[in-house]
Amino acid sequence: HISSGISALVMVILLGKRKDTSDSRPHNLPMTLIGTGLLWFGWFGFNGGSASASNGLAASAFVVTHIAAATAALSWVVVEWFAYKKPTALGFASGAVAGLVAITPASGYVGTTAALIIGAVVSPVCFNAIKLKSKLGYDDTLDVFGVHGVGGTLGALLTGLLCSKAINSTGADASATQFGIQALGAGVAIGYSAIMTFIIGSVLKVTMGL
């Protein structure tokens, strides 16, 4: 998610804005919600399957994935209520995806309380990250940077603050050291993705055009 979010940001800067960005909200909300449901269901296999077995660790990853997604969906709706005076179905869907993104690095390493925290925190952070695009002027129509890049980075960092060996004996307990390891990993992913995407995108822009 960090890689996709950073790469998306670099590419939208290389591409530049569309000629008309007056209406960039989804035009088919039922399809958006169906897609969110498919993602949510598929994510259970994505995170739970990472245990490579049908065991307690897979069940733990499954449960925290669901809790974080549901909490983030609710959290986003609450943020919208304060910001716009009304919740939206699109906000619910955006929050659910943000929660799924943020819990992914943590699933299999954190418990249910940590999943609630991750879900509650990621939505206001991603909500405000999305609002940056209008201030900074980049045209990220699918909010890949705001949800996946920022949400994935936040999830990686929070893993270092919330992980527990009681959940996964091969993991680590939350500590400043583990947080530093997570931050280093996220930083390397950000730097690598930004540099390589810029090189590849620039070469394509000069040779084939974007």
Side-chain angles (χ1 to χ4, degrees):
H1 296 286
I2 294 173
S3 175
S4 65
I6 298 300
S7 295
L9 179 62
V10 171
M11 286 305 298
V12 298
I13 291 172
L14 286 173
L15 279 166
K17 282 186 176 182
R18 288 166 293 168
K19 291 180 179 179
D20 181 11
T21 57
S22 59
D23 185 15
S24 59
R25 291 177 70 81
H27 68 281
N28 192 328
L29 197 54
M31 292 298 286
T32 300
L33 293 173
I34 290 170
T36 301
L38 290 170
L39 271 176
W40 199 328
F41 177 73
W43 225 284
F44 292 135
F46 185 64
N47 283 353
S50 294
S52 299
S54 181
N55 54 23
L57 188 59
S60 172
F62 187 108
V63 169
V64 297
T65 295
H66 191 53
I67 289 174
T71 305
L74 176 61
S75 178
W76 197 294
V77 166
V78 171
V79 171
E80 279 191 326
W81 220 318
F82 280 100
Y84 305 133
K85 308 304 179 187
K86 65 177 182 179
T88 67
L90 176 62
F92 175 89
S94 299
V97 173
L100 292 167
V101 166
I103 195 62
T104 295
S107 63
Y109 297 95
V110 301
T112 53
T113 301
L116 284 167
I117 294 171
I118 290 172
V121 170
V122 69
S123 285
V125 172
C126 289
F127 179 87
N128 285 287
I130 287 172
K131 296 184 76 171
L132 280 176
K133 67 180 181 181
S134 60
K135 295 180 180 179
L136 299 180
Y138 60 88
D139 186 14
D140 181 9
T141 186
L142 293 178
D143 298 320
V144 182
F145 173 71
V147 174
H148 294 267
V150 174
T153 301
L154 181 65
L157 295 176
L158 288 177
T159 300
L161 298 177
L162 299 169
C163 59
S164 172
K165 292 189 77 171
I167 303 297
N168 189 335
S169 60
T170 65
D173 284 320
S175 65
T177 300
Q178 187 60 39
F179 178 81
I181 293 170
Q182 299 296 118
L184 176 61
V188 170
I190 290 169
Y192 178 81
S193 301
I195 292 169
M196 294 306 296
T197 303
F198 178 76
I199 292 172
I200 294 168
S202 295
V203 171
L204 290 175
K205 189 172 184 177
V206 171
T207 55
M208 298 172 59
L210 295 176

